[in-house]
Structure formats: C-alpha cells, structure tokens
Amino acid sequence: AGGVTLERDGIALDYPARMERAIRQWRSQFLYGEFGAVLVSDSNTADVIVRAEPAPATGPIVPLRLHRRARECEGATDLALDVDTKQIVLPMRIYTRPLVEGSAALETCLDLTLAHELGHVLGIFEHSPNADDLMANDPSATEPSERDRSTAERAYHTPTTLTVVGR
C-alpha cells in the first residue's frame, strides 16, 4: 500500500494521529512486514485519501455506523473496482463523518471506524459475520481479531486476480 493522507484537515479530531494508530494496528497483523503504509502530506501522491466528511450520496458507497461500539460517527470506503478489467483504480477514499461533537465516545468511534475502513482498503472487501471481528458490519471488537489477521494474510499471500491502476 502507498500513502494515506487527509484531503480536508481534521485538526480538532487529529485524523493524522488516528490514521497512524490504525496503520500500526493493521501493520502488527502482518508477520513479514507486507503492509507498509505511511502518511504523506500531499494527497496527489496518496494511494488512499481519508476525508473528514460524509461519503458522496451517489454511487455504490453506503455509509455505515458501527452501532455496538461506534454510534457517534459513520464511515465508508470508496473502492473504484472495474469488474470487467478486474482493476482497482487509485486513489481509494475513506470517509468518516462525526455525528456528535465533543464526546469522548466520538474519539473511540473515529478510531474504530478508521481502523475498520482501513481493513477494506487492505483488501478485506466484505464484512465478517462474526461481531468479534473488527471487520464485522457492526463489530464488538476494537482491534483486528485473529480471524481479521488471517483474512488479511490470505489476501496478501494468495495470487490476486485484481490489478491496481492509477497513481
């Protein structure tokens, strides 16, 4: 994976530090250092752009609220996938939208939502049916589970049928 940056600066919510934590959570799941994301300061060079705003109302993106642990915000990931050519077009976008300002629970919500959405960017495109997984559609977990780790490892160690284009 390439860089992750903010297109709109969320200074009050400290999105750069939250993304660093999400990156560290996922990086720790890979035994051989396969995931090497870094934050970049220029969104023109990023493979993934994190936006502190609602997802666009058009297209296949459906914002999700993680009700068990993260009701104070919502998130979505925009993966431009061309099914005919089997290509993922960069940059990918992660959207988060705070629904409640100034709440301690909002901080937890943003951390959980950003980590969950980063899991989609890593290649875990579908939700787990198990609430104990961070990648469930409504997780009770706050970090990647053993199943999440196993799924991410399989995604990185299985020959791919997709190519990445763009950047």
Side-chain angles (χ1 to χ4, degrees), residues 100-156:
V100 176
E101 294 294 330
S103 162
L106 175 60
E107 292 189 29
T108 301
C109 182
L110 290 171
D111 287 339
L112 176 60
T113 301
L114 286 169
H116 174 93
E117 298 304 332
L118 186 56
H120 290 311
V121 167
L122 284 169
I124 305 174
F125 300 138
E126 295 188 17
H127 289 123
S128 166
N130 190 320
D132 293 335
D133 299 334
L134 178 63
M135 294 312 298
N137 68 345
D138 192 9
S140 60
T142 57
E143 58 188 37
S145 69
E146 179 62 30
R147 276 182 300 276
D148 291 323
R149 183 197 62 75
S150 179
T151 302
E153 273 193 347
R154 278 194 308 273
Y156 274 66

Side-chain angles (χ1 to χ4, degrees), residues 5-6 8-22 24 39 50 52 96 98 101 106-107 110-111 114:
T5 189
L6 290 174
R8 190 180 108 195
D9 196 358
I11 294 172
L13 299 174
D14 204 3
Y15 274 71
R18 292 180 195 292
M19 280 309 299
E20 282 287 353
R21 280 192 293 275
R24 275 195 312 272
L39 291 175
V50 178
T96 61
E101 294 294 330
L106 175 60
E107 292 189 29
L110 290 171
D111 287 339
L114 286 169

Side-chain angles (χ1 to χ4, degrees), residues 79-109:
L79 300 164
L81 175 61
D82 184 326
V83 294
D84 294 329
T85 62
K86 296 186 179 180
Q87 294 179 328
I88 295 177
V89 181
L90 298 179
M92 294 180 260
R93 288 178 176 78
I94 293 175
Y95 296 91
T96 61
R97 180 174 75 136
L99 301 173
V100 176
E101 294 294 330
S103 162
L106 175 60
E107 292 189 29
T108 301
C109 182

Side-chain angles (χ1 to χ4, degrees), residues 7 20 28 42 66 78 91 95 118:
E7 192 159 288
E20 282 287 353
S28 71
D42 182 359
L66 308 175
D78 183 6
Y95 296 91
L118 186 56

Side-chain angles (χ1 to χ4, degrees), residues 13-60:
L13 299 174
D14 204 3
Y15 274 71
R18 292 180 195 292
M19 280 309 299
E20 282 287 353
R21 280 192 293 275
I23 289 168
R24 275 195 312 272
Q25 276 186 328
W26 281 106
R27 189 180 292 142
S28 71
Q29 302 303 307
F30 291 90
L31 301 175
Y32 305 107
E34 301 92 328
F35 178 57
V38 294
L39 291 175
V40 297
S41 60
D42 182 359
S43 63
N44 291 314
T45 64
D47 293 340
V48 178
I49 298 174
V50 178
R51 301 188 76 172
E53 61 187 49
T58 60

